[in-house]
Every structure is written in structure tokens, then in C-alpha cells.
Amino acid sequence: MSEPADRRYGPATLPTARGPLSAAVVAALRHPPHDLPVDLGVDLYPTDPFTDEDLQLTLFLCYELHYRGWRGVDESWEWQPTLLALRARCERVFEAALRRLVGAPSVPAAGVAAGLADLVAADDGPSLAATLQRRADLTQFREFVTHRSVYHLREADPHSWALPRLGGPAKAALVEIQTDEYGNGRLDRMHAELFRGTLDRLGLDTAYGAHVDVAPAVTLATNNLMSLFGLHRRLRGALLGHLAAFEMTSSLPNRRYGNGLRRLGFDEVATRFYDEHVEADAVHEQIAAHDMCGGLVRVEPALAPDVLFGAAAGLAVDRLFAVHLLNSWAAGRSSLRATATPAVPPTVSIVASPEVAPPALV
């Protein structure tokens, strides 16, 4: 079903607040830019920043102003000084938690590419991809796709923040990767557009930002991590490390996601996003580790620890995300926020191959 372009491509509707901090930001954004209270967020000390709904939504609200903005919100909010000050307070808490989570990865004598390979090899997180391939039912697969829509409908955009901050071999390598992500300039081949086809086949709303309200804090954290790295020049090494880890751990899981959808009876339109990544990311893995991150460190050797920090942080937060989904399903409950349900377009048509009908939604 066709949708108005402004829904498919943004801006999104402001989400519902999840606590006093996000409530203050949502309320403020509904009005013309003005100063926020100077003490807003000064007493922010969450027990677990990765699962704190108020903190993660507040960061997401602020970060989205640098992407496509929020529907009906004055664009001048993007650089409003007191909102930036609040964002900085939240970022300090989030970044400190990230550094506690992963520590300071050491750079091996063999170099940063070897360090990235070591981090990936040591990642012992649970295999969410294997569960989706072999056992997940349609409801669980729809939940997974709902979570991932927050990123995949703007796929590659956070990492593109690095382009004007790089030069030389690292920039050339990043351009090569991003060119593929953006479909070589063809709308129908853009990875975000391919994912929109997956959403549509699963009967989920394809509009940009449609599922933010149901995404829990840990899902927002996986997105806020990229925005934190992307919007700070000092963290450009971490941003490239994150992308490298992303590419190095993507090919096999995407093969499993595609096979999981085929097991449930879905067609090539539903699986095309995942099938595309099986081949593309196998190539991107080498470019990202050796040409992009290796090229950056050859020019700026001091950034090697940042590259490994970004990779380790990305792997660790994705591990928290996987644990949340698997634990929720094992307990027989939804992994989405209990206060809402996945956004569904007005007319839902789940399209699977005629040979195998998907199970009914529950």
C-alpha cells in the first residue's frame, strides 16, 4: 500500500514520554525554541543507563533533530544551547557506562585489523540469529524486525557523519562501503528501501520512525551509540570501529535471518534485504577492517584504541539487545514495550509464498 512520502521518509511523530526528563523535552519541542531549566538533568544518575527508558528516549529525541527532525517541531531546536547542554549531560552518563562496560581494549602488536578480528572472535553473545533461523515464530520475527526498523530505515546515515571528518584511505574505504549501503544512487537498491519491503511483507508500518514508541531502552541504546560516535569528531575512530564490527559480524546472521523468513514461508521481497547483506558484508568486512580502520590508524596512530573501543562497545550493546529479546521470549512475553503494540498500517497484508502459509498472528 502506498503511503505519503512524508510518512515513509520522515520526519517522524514525536514519541510518548517515558519519564520526567523525556517529558520535559517532548513538552518543550511542541513549542518554539526557548531555554530549558538550567538544572534539567543535573541529578541524572540511572542505575543502568542501557535499560533506563527516560535517559535513552531523551537522547534519541535530541539526536533525531540532527537526522530528519520531528514532525511539527521547529527545526531551530537542533542547535538550541540549553537543549544541547541537556544532551551533553545525558551523553556523559551514557559514554561513561559504555567505557565501564567494555573497558579499554588493548591494541595488539599485529595492528588494529588484528585487534578487530580478536574482538569479533571473542564475542560470546547468544545467537539471536540462530533462534530466528530455526525456532522463532512469526510473532517473534515481527518483533525483531520492529526493533531493527529504528535503525534500518535510516541505515548507513549515522556512519556517514564520519565522511567530512576523514581524509585519505579511510575516507575512500568508507565511501566504498556507503555507496553500496545507499544502493549506488538507486532508490530501489538502497538498503533502507529494501528493509521497507521486509516490513511491508510482515504487515508492519513502513513509515520512518513508526516503531520508536514500542522500542525499549536497549533498542534505543543500540541506535544512540551510533549517534553519539557520529556526532562527535573526537569519537570518529570509535565510529569507524563500530562500523567495522558491524560489517565483520553481519554476513552469517543475515543469511540466518533470510533463511528464517523462508522457513516461515515468505518470498524474495521479504528476504531481499538480508540476502543482499550476505554477499555485500562479506566484501565490506575486509574493506572496513583493513582499508578503513587500518587506513585511519596509519594516518592517525593515536586513534587505534578508539577504533577498538567503538567495536567493543557496538558488540557489547548488541549483546545486551540479543539477551533482552531471548530472555523475553523464553519467559513467554513480548520483547517490545508493554505499553504499546507494533505500529500496523491501516490495511495489513502479510505476504508469504503460496506453498507455506505463515502462522496466524497472536
Side-chain angles (χ1 to χ4, degrees), residues 101 195 200 202 232 257 307 318 343 349:
L101 181 65
F195 189 77
D200 183 64
L202 269 66
H232 291 273
Y257 300 147
V307 170
D318 275 352
S349 176

Side-chain angles (χ1 to χ4, degrees), residues 231-318:
L231 289 168
H232 291 273
R233 184 179 180 277
R234 66 181 176 85
L235 294 172
R236 62 195 180 280
L239 182 64
L240 296 196
H242 178 279
L243 177 57
F246 202 89
E247 299 291 348
M248 295 169 74
T249 56
S250 175
S251 187
L252 178 58
N254 277 293
R255 184 186 300 278
R256 287 175 167 169
Y257 300 147
N259 287 340
L261 282 173
R262 278 183 278 271
R263 173 178 59 83
L264 291 171
F266 284 91
D267 65 6
E268 66 277 4
V269 176
T271 65
R272 188 181 175 196
F273 172 84
Y274 300 114
D275 296 340
E276 170 72 17
H277 282 77
V278 172
E279 181 175 348
D281 290 353
V283 176
H284 291 174
E285 173 182 350
Q286 299 302 316
I287 299 171
H290 295 277
D291 301 334
M292 184 179 70
C293 291
L296 174 70
V297 170
R298 285 194 295 274
V299 175
E300 300 184 86
L303 294 184
D306 288 349
V307 170
L308 296 184
F309 162 65
L315 293 170
V317 176
D318 275 352

